Amino acid sequence: MRIALVSEHANPLAAVGGVDAGGQNVHVAALAAALAERGHEVTVHTRRTAPDQPEHVSAGPGLTVEHVPAGPAEDLPKDELLPYMPAFGAHLARRWAERPPDVVHAHFWMSGLAALAAARDLGVPVVQTFHALGVVKRRWQGPADTSPPGRVAAETDIARRAHAIVATCRDEVSELLRMGVGHERIAVVPCGVDLELFRPDGPIAPRGPAPRVLCVGRMVPRKGLDTVVRALCRLPDAELLIVGGTPRDDEAVRLAGLATACGLTGRVHLLGSVGRAEVPALMRSADALVTVPWYEPFGMVPVEAMACGVPVVASSVGGHLDTVAGCGVLVPPRDPRALSRALLDVLGRPELRASLAEAGRRRAVTRYGWPRVAARTESVYLDVLAGRGARVAVAGG
Ligand code: UDP
């Protein structure tokens, strides 16, 4: 198949760990590569963010990244990109009129807007993955949500017009059903993990004798890092490593201040973002990986830690209910006391850590390898092309 992936803000070639560069970049890069590996011709269309970015970049056999001119050729917050989506869609329409793809897979709601506009007259089916839903973001962030005001209505419209919706977890299915999407057009295909990179054996980042708790992710309030700092106050000798963002981010400054106020100077280390290749060694050096966001559309980080054989403590939200439940420890979000109790248990019981490590690794290997995820995504495309809808398939997370 000729497959067009549309990912307006998340460039698969970009470094991750910044405010707007995280799981979606990793997801689109790995899905595109795994689909190309299966013999498909894959093009990822993403917005041009620097004047010197070439229009086309070959990213491997069968895989091209196309930088779409839409708006200024500079990095912009994703919540400021909506005005440029008509230009983005018009560019796609021109490209696809020359050489239509067999199927389009849009990632994030604004990509869906552009893709549906561009594919309309060509009769090419559009599959949509939201990655995050505006209705959930607004519920949790309230006035702090910087999404354009029309996001929720636009997502409902996209969900109705797309040929199929690929949700990444069962919690998202519930949200989509509440938005009025027919279940026959929803498939659940999780995000994946690179099992070559994230494995129990391999280099281990240096560490001292103190129990080590690790957090990895974008430096934004909803990731709940303040909850982890507060929980650390109740763990007498553990250290906390936080990977992601930069020390200048508002959230990093807030966390550093909180650590000082809690008397944790020297025990909380803000490392900034690190390249993907360095993440597994850091994970392997930890006694526990903690991720306690307020909400989480999927959450690749806990699955990466599971693949490394590292015990996971996660908030009981979103994708974690599929991925971590039963092979990690779930705690309520925004509850430092519950988190510190869970961590005292995990850090104090080597046999519990060993069994969580084994169960997590087994689940990561059996469910979340990218070849398996790509095969399931491909079967959604084939169902759509055959006019069979998406056939909800939720078993196996
Ligand atoms: N990540 C990274 N370096 C960093 C911070 C994060 O490589 O400094 C990666 C992390 O390993 C994961 C992704 O960014 O693959 C974050 O994905 P997740 O789904 O956990 O969160 P999101 O960014 O989508 O909210």
Side-chain angles (χ1 to χ4, degrees):
M1 276 184 277
R2 228 179 354 248
I3 299 167
L5 302 186
V6 183
S7 178
E8 66 347 335
H9 73 278
N11 186 330
L13 305 174
V16 295
V19 169
D20 279 340
Q24 188 180 325
N25 303 65
V26 174
H27 179 112
V28 171
L31 177 64
L35 288 167
E37 184 77 21
R38 291 181 69 77
H40 301 295
E41 188 185 322
V42 183
T43 303
V44 181
H45 303 270
T46 189
R47 202 180 74 84
R48 190 165 67 123
T49 55
D52 58 349
Q53 269 171 344
E55 193 178 342
H56 297 104
V57 180
S58 170
L63 175 53
T64 305
V65 175
E66 182 177 310
H67 292 116
V68 175
E74 61 188 69
D75 259 325
L76 292 173
K78 66 176 183 287
D79 287 337
E80 291 176 17
L81 295 180
L82 185 58
Y84 309 116
M85 287 305 109
F88 197 115
H91 180 93
L92 293 179
R94 281 193 299 277
R95 298 282 295 129
W96 294 346
E98 290 160 17
R99 200 156 181 268
D102 296 304
V103 64
V104 173
H105 188 170
H107 294 261
F108 203 61
W109 69 282
M110 286 183 287
S111 298
L113 285 182
L116 283 164
R120 191 176 39 217
D121 297 335
L122 299 169
V124 177
V126 175
V127 174
Q128 174 73 30
T129 294
F130 283 105
H131 288 272
L133 285 168
V135 73
V136 178
K137 190 169 185 190
R138 195 173 60 186
R139 188 181 304 145
W140 281 99
Q141 300 209 357
D145 179 7
T146 52
S147 303
R151 174 173 176 177
V152 172
E155 286 182 343
T156 306
D157 185 50
I158 293 163
R160 292 209 177 106
R161 286 160 59 213
H163 293 75
I165 313 295
V166 173
T168 57
C169 68
R170 288 177 294 177
D171 185 60
E172 188 183 348
V173 175
S174 312
E175 298 289 349
L176 290 165
L177 293 175
R178 259 186 276 171
M179 284 163 62
V181 184
H183 69 89
E184 70 288 350
R185 290 190 310 109
I186 308 171
V188 179
V189 183
C191 299
V193 62
D194 180 343
L195 293 170
E196 294 294 311
L197 190 60
F198 293 93
R199 48 193 305 152
D201 52 330
I204 301 175
R207 59 166 285 177
R212 174 172 286 183
V213 174
L214 175 69
C215 297
V216 178
R218 289 177 300 123
M219 193 56 78
V220 289
R222 72 117 170 145
K223 290 288 184 181
L225 292 162
D226 55 344
T227 303
V228 193
V229 173
R230 287 181 209 281
L232 197 71
C233 303
R234 298 165 192 270
L235 308 175
D237 51 0
E239 64 172 0
L240 170 61
L241 265 55
I242 300 179
V243 169
T246 75
R248 293 177 306 283
D249 291 330
D250 290 349
E251 182 65 357
V253 172
R254 186 173 79 99
L255 292 171
L258 181 64
T260 308
C262 294
L264 295 170
T265 312
R267 287 176 55 200
V268 176
H269 307 279
L270 292 156
L271 303 186
S273 53
V274 306
R276 288 196 54 63
E278 291 173 62
V279 175
L282 280 159
M283 286 184 168
R284 286 190 285 261
S285 78
D287 297 293
L289 180 289
V290 172
T291 177
V292 287
W294 309 342
Y295 62 94
E296 190 58 78
F298 181 77
M300 296 176 116
V301 161
V303 180
E304 292 168 349
M306 284 154 53
C308 289
V310 174
V312 172
V313 180
S315 51
S316 50
V317 299
H320 301 164
L321 301 172
D322 292 348
T323 55
V324 181
C327 62
V329 180
L330 291 178
V331 294
R334 308 180 94 164
D335 189 340
R337 203 178 278 262
L339 177 58
S340 63
R341 274 198 302 269
L343 277 172
L344 277 172
D345 200 26
V346 170
L347 297 177
R349 291 173 57 201
E351 77 291 355
L352 173 61
R353 287 205 302 282
S355 77
L356 294 175
E358 200 195 321
R361 169 76 189 160
R362 198 176 326 116
R363 182 172 296 176
V365 169
T366 53
R367 290 191 188 175
Y368 300 117
W370 276 111
R372 178 182 155 88
V373 170
R376 289 179 62 181
T377 308
E378 178 193 282
S379 69
V380 175
Y381 300 163
L382 292 172
D383 284 345
V384 164
L385 288 169
R388 287 198 294 258
R391 296 188 306 175
V392 173
V394 293

